[in-house]
Amino acid sequence: MFAIGALAMANYTMMANNMAFRGMMANNARLGLLSGLNGQNFNSQQLAALSAKDTQLELDAMTCGFQYTFAKKMLENLKKLQKDDIERSFSIFA
C-alpha cells in the first residue's frame, strides 16, 4: 500500500502545483487584457470578444482553483492514511 500511496501522493502534489500555475497564468492573462486596453474606443464586436475572453479566463481560473483544492484534500487524506498505516504496522511489532 505504501508504494501505491507514495505514487498517488506524488501525482496529487504534481496536480496541485500544475493547477496553481495554470490558475496564476489565467489571472495574469486577465490582467494583460486590462492593461492592453489603453483607453481605446472599441466597437460592440470587439467588446463582446474581450468579454468572452475574460469570461473564459475567469472560468479557467475557477476550475483550476477547484482542482487545486481537490488535489490538496486528496493529498491530506493520503497522508492521514499513510500515518494510520504506519501506526498500525508499528503496533503489531510492539
Side-chain angles (χ1 to χ4, degrees), residues 44-62:
S44 61
Q45 288 179 338
Q46 291 170 325
L47 287 176
L50 281 173
S51 178
K53 183 67 174 172
D54 182 57
T55 302
Q56 183 59 43
L57 289 169
E58 182 180 11
L59 289 173
D60 191 34
M62 290 173 65

Side-chain angles (χ1 to χ4, degrees), residues 61-74:
M62 290 173 65
T63 301
C64 290
F66 172 76
Q67 290 179 348
Y68 173 82
T69 303
F70 170 78
K72 293 300 268 185
K73 293 294 181 184
M74 290 300 292

